[in-house]
Amino acid sequence: MSDATSQLTTADGRPLKAALATAQARARRKAFFLVAPLLLFVLITFILPIGQMLTRSLYHDGFSAVTPNLGQWFAANPEGTEPDEAAFAALAADLAKMKADKTAGEAGTRMNYTVPGTRSLFTSTARGADKLQPPFKEALLAEDKKWGDPIIWASMRAASSPWTTDFYLIATDRQRTADGGIEKVPENERIYLWLFGKTFVLSGLITFICLLLAFPIAHLLATLPMAKANLLMILVLLPFWTSLLVRTTSWIVLLQGQGVVNNILVSLGIVGDDGRLAMIYNQTGTIIVMTHILLPFMVLPLYSVMRTIKPTYARAARSLGATSWTTFRRIYLPLTLPGIGAGALLVFILAVGYYITPALVGGADGQLISNLIQFHMSKSNWSLAAALSGMLLAGVLVLYWLYDRLIGIDKLKLG
Amino acid sequence: MQEHLPQHGENGVTTAARNDGFVVFDRVQKSYDGVSLVVKDLNLSIGKGEFLTMLGPSGSGKTTCLMMLAGFETATNGEIRLDGRNINLVPPHKRGIGMVFQNYALFPHMTVGENLAFPLEVRGMGKDEREAKIKRALDMVQMGAFANRRPAQLSGGQQQRIALARALVFDPALVLMDEPLGALDKQLREHMQFEIKHLHESLGITVVYVTHDQGEALTMSDRVAVFNDGKIQQLAPPADLYERPDNSFVAQFIGENNKLPGTIEELSGDKALVRLATGELIDATPVNVTSKGQQTLVSIRPERVEFKPEMMPPGAHMIDATVLEVIYMGDILRVRLRVAGADDFVMKMRNTLGQTKLTPGQNIKIGWHPADARALDLN
């Protein structure tokens, strides 16, 4: 069968497949040139930065570039080897070169990421490195006892290669042990995983509140007569046309201690003047404001799905004997599932990466992982910021995959 | 519709003879805006096991009536009774009425089997009984092999059968159908008409069927209620409706129809002589004309027009006509004539061997049996 089809030829004897390819090549070329600008744009503004970010999360040559001798020793001696005189000699040589090139700070900073407090070890030792005399082991230990610490050596080994998973270890609250193993950092130093967890839980909560609020609105929009629905739609879209900053600050006006809501509550006697509610600059503020800002992203996909659900489905279910609750549960809700999925996915992904709102109204306990990423970027620890972003990206991709498995990405409708 | 219908007795039992139907609309009115009535004083009694069709143009109120019966619209005034019980306040899911919708309304997220199981599940039926009923219902519409398909995988005709099976699977005594065949092509539609009719006969169910297709109404129904302007214009078996329309709306709406306006010249019992505007005299049967000199519209079916004097009853009047056009349609020939100054008079001739050939421009004389020409109100 397949033989017969592959041997089909055109009237003048050319293979049919080749003839078809030639005939379509022109159209395909034309199509490619049409999409080329967009392709280029996406490549330059999206794929390349993400690629660079992911590379940075795994690549840092701040230490390895200035320690060629140590690098050779680490390469020649397997992991777990006690640092011998040769190792200390290599270290001394590298430190001397750091002094000459003024690169001790860079190397120290890189080491400082994995073993906090080691930057000064490098800068101070490098200052007198050109005067060190053999035996180097004793000389260096005399400079600073810390040079004998196996943790330092394990970390230097890890940093001696520019390609490193160190930043992912930090981002998952882990560190290297002296014998090259990996352990969790002490409990009081664990922040990242906890913050990831909090970010995901808060985003989930915000998504859920958005769904609860958006479902009736979208239903109303989908069932109202066109003129009224359009008016309501403008109200839903109004936040979109207002600056994010304006929206966030107006929430501050409403929710702060001396704000509109508290003043009303006090004047109604619901709360006392000394018991004004703390609704802003904390987690509550983050939840309220982010829910408001992300609500349209839930309403629109829900609306676009609900608009296509014909009212006869509900009528059919009712005529078949279903109560209104059963009709909602078994017919209407399953039919809106693609909209719920699309809206939830959209709101959740946006919430997980949200930065401005928690920064403005989150106070101390309303900060999310993106605020920490921003913090590390401002401290020029690009690799850790990239590793955290990479994990966030991975989390979002997992969600996307889950959505595809459960609902199907082809059902994604965004208005 | 003018007679006064009696009110309820003390214990809710009505005394009117007409009200013993299985489904009764008793002085039902419906308004959506509080300004105009969509359904005006509807009185209708449908017998058990009857196939009743509500026929009418869109906006005539027929679908509103069906929706009130199904429970999706509430009557503004009046009472709807099902099997003697007032169902005005009964919610749709407690009425136990099967319904087939215009676009089938099969639940797209369920398989055919799940669609059919739905009405049984909400009635709390056990699994074994459910499966037996689903199988029976699917076999009934010859769709037994399709239980695991999704509605989207079925053709329009197949979806139609499933919708029918779903409306019947829980054994309702009354089934409503809202233009169920509207989306099918002509051939399939005609086929399904017979199937629905046969199901109705074999199951003994009562069917209320809504359509705007007069052919469908005539083929399937025991009785047809012709709706226009929120009122039933005529309620009659198909043959009566076609051959003896009560008014000019029904005459025009059902089948093709020639109209000749004129004045009543003579009126005696079941015979009338009508003088056309151009002076000719024609025979007619008076239907809703009462006095001499009254304006009337005479309605004649194209297939009842004769042009051979030997086919006419003795003493019948014949009038002059000019052949304008002869259209060959296979089984019949459609001849357009100029009669009494108008260009749209149509005569249908059977295409038989040796049929007289007519050519455009030819002058002939036409006539008809007085019973076939009905003098109606001037509407």
Side-chain angles (χ1 to χ4, degrees):
Chain A
M1 186 73 193
S2 62
D3 277 353
T5 47
S6 64
Q7 280 160 15
L8 275 179
T9 55
T10 57
D12 54 357
R14 282 195 304 155
L16 193 58
K17 273 187 180 169
L20 186 69
T22 329
Q24 288 179 338
R26 217 180 106 80
R28 219 176 287 143
R29 256 201 312 279
K30 215 153 118 197
F32 177 78
F33 283 124
L34 277 174
V35 297
L38 179 69
L39 206 65
L40 208 65
F41 181 80
V42 168
L43 193 73
I44 291 170
T45 61
F46 196 68
I47 308 281
L48 286 182
I50 286 181
Q52 206 214 4
M53 177 200 80
L54 291 176
T55 313
R56 267 182 190 253
S57 71
L58 289 167
Y59 185 89
H60 195 300
D61 63 355
F63 185 81
S64 58
V66 295
T67 55
N69 299 308
L70 263 180
Q72 275 172 16
W73 188 84
F74 282 126
N77 294 280
E79 210 170 308
T81 316
E82 277 284 309
D84 53 11
E85 179 58 23
F88 279 95
L91 176 60
D94 286 338
L95 283 168
K97 191 161 185 306
M98 281 180 212
K99 185 187 178 192
D101 300 346
K102 296 193 171 62
T103 51
E106 263 171 58
T109 304
R110 167 66 184 89
M111 283 301 294
N112 207 46
Y113 291 148
T114 36
V115 188
T118 43
R119 189 173 186 275
S120 59
L121 179 66
F122 277 85
T123 49
S124 63
T125 313
R127 218 171 287 138
D130 50 349
K131 295 184 191 77
L132 288 172
Q133 297 297 321
F136 288 108
K137 185 171 183 180
E138 280 72 20
L140 280 164
L141 286 176
E143 280 285 328
D144 198 318
K145 265 195 154 59
K146 274 192 195 163
W147 288 118
D149 192 342
I151 293 277
I152 298 274
W153 282 92
S155 300
M156 286 200 294
R157 177 185 284 277
S160 68
S161 157
W163 293 102
T164 174
T165 54
D166 276 1
F167 297 101
Y168 281 102
L169 286 182
I170 299 168
T172 50
D173 291 329
R174 284 175 171 79
Q175 62 185 16
R176 285 180 199 284
T177 57
D179 55 3
I182 288 164
E183 61 175 14
K184 286 208 144 195
V185 298
E187 208 149 329
N188 56 353
E189 290 173 25
R190 294 178 193 166
I191 41 171
Y192 298 109
L193 284 185
W194 177 79
L195 200 56
F196 264 115
K198 182 172 139 181
T199 304
F200 275 69
V201 168
L202 277 190
S203 301
L205 183 66
I206 290 165
T207 308
F208 183 67
I209 299 173
C210 276
L211 177 63
L212 285 188
L213 295 175
F215 201 92
I217 301 173
H219 180 73
L220 200 63
L221 273 172
T223 47
L224 272 183
M226 220 35 182
K228 283 182 188 163
N230 283 342
L231 195 71
L232 198 62
M233 190 53 128
I234 290 174
L235 294 181
V236 171
L237 291 177
L238 207 58
F240 263 149
W241 305 332
T242 322
S243 149
L244 177 66
L245 220 53
V246 171
R247 273 182 282 163
T248 307
T249 30
S250 47
W251 274 109
I252 297 176
V253 172
L254 285 173
L255 297 179
Q256 64 189 345
Q258 298 294 324
V260 178
V261 175
N262 265 323
N263 283 347
I264 290 173
L265 289 177
V266 169
S267 67
L268 289 175
I270 294 169
V271 296
D273 199 22
D274 50 349
R276 285 172 180 265
L277 302 174
M279 292 179 291
I280 202 98
Y281 304 126
N282 56 19
Q283 207 161 298
T284 319
T286 303
I287 294 172
I288 293 176
V289 180
M290 279 180 68
T291 300
H292 168 245
I293 286 169
L294 294 175
L295 196 57
F297 294 100
M298 184 67 94
V299 174
L300 290 178
L302 268 179
Y303 167 64
S304 86
V305 169
M306 285 177 176
R307 209 181 30 185
T308 63
I309 300 174
K310 282 175 274 173
T312 45
Y313 289 133
R315 288 187 161 185
R318 299 277 280 150
S319 81
L320 292 170
T323 59
S324 42
W325 166 242
T326 309
T327 304
F328 174 77
R329 193 174 53 85
R330 300 247 349 240
I331 307 301
Y332 197 70
L333 198 61
L335 289 176
T336 57
L337 214 54
I340 294 177
L345 193 70
L346 195 62
V347 169
F348 190 86
I349 288 175
L350 285 173
V352 156
Y354 232 71
Y355 157 66
I356 300 177
T357 302
L360 286 176
V361 302
D365 67 345
Q367 302 291 311
L368 301 181
I369 194 73
S370 45
N371 300 101
L372 206 63
I373 293 173
Q374 188 271 339
F375 170 79
H376 285 302
M377 280 161 66
S378 70
K379 296 273 178 239
S380 291
N381 189 356
W382 290 96
S383 290
L384 183 53
L388 289 170
S389 307
M391 284 170 64
L392 205 53
L393 181 65
V396 168
L397 288 179
V398 166
L399 276 174
Y400 196 73
W401 173 79
L402 265 179
Y403 179 86
D404 189 33
R405 286 296 303 272
L406 296 179
I407 300 178
I409 220 72
D410 53 323
K411 293 209 176 85
L412 200 63
K413 285 185 186 168
L414 298 179
Chain B
M1 253 34 69
Q2 283 111 336
E3 83 255 56
H4 178 78
L5 273 142
Q7 295 296 306
H8 283 290
E10 301 274 312
N11 46 9
V13 179
T14 53
T15 45
R18 275 190 60 191
N19 284 1
D20 59 355
F22 182 57
V23 177
V24 176
F25 286 86
D26 187 359
R27 314 184 78 190
V28 172
Q29 290 179 304
K30 174 71 185 175
S31 172
Y32 284 108
D33 52 7
V35 179
S36 58
L37 284 170
V38 181
V39 175
K40 301 169 183 165
D41 195 26
L42 176 77
N43 294 286
L44 176 62
S45 174
I46 303 165
K48 201 165 179 118
E50 188 175 359
F51 195 119
L52 182 117
T53 298
M54 294 177 170
L55 174 70
S58 52
S60 60
K62 59 187 193 308
T63 301
T64 306
C65 285
L66 197 75
M67 290 300 158
M68 285 194 287
L69 184 51
F72 300 127
E73 300 287 354
T74 49
T76 312
N77 187 37
E79 197 178 282
I80 301 171
R81 285 191 292 277
L82 176 62
D83 209 5
R85 193 166 66 112
N86 181 349
I87 55 167
N88 277 25
L89 297 174
V90 179
H93 67 278
K94 287 192 179 150
R95 295 192 179 191
I97 299 174
M99 183 146 182
V100 183
F101 291 84
Q102 197 164 7
N103 293 307
Y104 322 131
L106 295 175
F107 306 134
H109 60 297
M110 296 182 182
T111 62
V112 165
E114 286 164 350
N115 262 286
L116 263 72
F118 185 80
L120 307 177
E121 275 167 20
V122 299
R123 283 171 172 76
M125 198 175 279
K127 194 165 186 286
D128 293 341
E129 198 183 350
R130 229 159 52 204
E131 272 168 10
K133 276 190 179 268
I134 292 169
K135 190 179 176 317
R136 206 191 61 198
L138 282 178
D139 289 343
M140 198 163 68
V141 292
Q142 290 109 49
M143 293 288 290
F146 292 82
N148 293 319
R149 300 275 190 94
R150 296 245 169 209
Q153 294 168 300
L154 304 179
S155 71
Q158 289 170 332
Q159 291 187 33
Q160 221 292 317
R161 286 161 191 267
I162 300 302
L164 203 57
R166 190 179 66 175
L168 295 170
V169 72
F170 59 98
D171 302 319
L174 173 64
V175 176
L176 312 182
M177 302 193 188
D178 184 12
E179 311 210 11
L181 307 179
L184 302 182
D185 62 62
K186 188 170 176 287
Q187 215 168 355
L188 200 53
R189 196 160 62 221
E190 281 166 7
H191 181 72
M192 286 305 294
Q193 285 170 10
F194 287 111
E195 283 208 23
I196 291 175
K197 187 70 192 146
H198 291 155
L199 276 175
H200 163 250
E201 278 158 10
S202 61
L203 297 175
I205 47 172
T206 310
V207 177
V208 178
Y209 192 101
V210 161
T211 183
H212 63 266
D213 180 337
Q214 37 128 336
E216 210 165 276
L218 296 181
T219 323
M220 303 173 75
S221 324
D222 294 329
R223 281 195 301 165
V224 179
V226 182
F227 275 71
N228 189 40
D229 197 23
K231 276 188 277 199
I232 293 185
Q233 303 290 332
Q234 187 170 359
L235 175 62
D240 282 4
L241 210 59
Y242 186 80
E243 285 162 29
R244 286 181 286 283
D246 273 353
N247 56 37
S248 51
F249 174 80
V250 176
Q252 283 166 50
F253 194 73
I254 312 274
E256 207 177 357
N257 188 49
N258 290 307
K259 291 160 289 182
L260 293 171
T263 320
I264 301 287
E265 183 86 5
E266 271 180 49
L267 197 63
S268 57
D270 60 348
K271 281 211 166 108
L273 210 55
V274 177
R275 186 171 294 281
L276 302 181
T278 44
E280 292 103 327
L281 276 175
I282 57 169
D283 304 304
T285 308
V287 178
N288 47 11
V289 286
T290 46
S291 58
K292 242 175 92 171
Q294 197 183 342
Q295 295 286 307
T296 183
L297 199 65
V298 178
S299 133
I300 311 126
R301 299 284 180 203
E303 70 274 17
R304 299 289 170 97
V305 179
E306 290 292 349
F307 67 101
K308 295 175 190 156
E310 65 270 22
M311 301 293 282
M312 298 291 300
H317 288 83
M318 294 193 85
I319 57 172
D320 291 321
T322 312
V323 177
L324 296 173
E325 196 177 12
V326 181
I327 302 164
Y328 180 82
M329 296 183 78
D331 54 343
I332 57 159
L333 295 164
R334 211 177 126 89
V335 185
R336 193 158 64 84
L337 304 169
R338 179 181 296 133
V339 174
D343 282 350
D344 57 356
F345 197 97
V346 174
M347 172 173 74
K348 284 181 184 166
M349 296 158 52
R350 282 174 64 212
N351 186 9
T352 50
L353 209 61
Q355 175 69 280
T356 316
K357 262 197 137 57
L358 294 178
T359 46
Q362 191 178 346
N363 287 314
I364 55 174
K365 278 199 174 288
I366 56 165
W368 43 81
H369 197 283
D372 290 333
R374 296 169 66 77
L376 303 168
D377 55 310
L378 192 69
N379 253 335

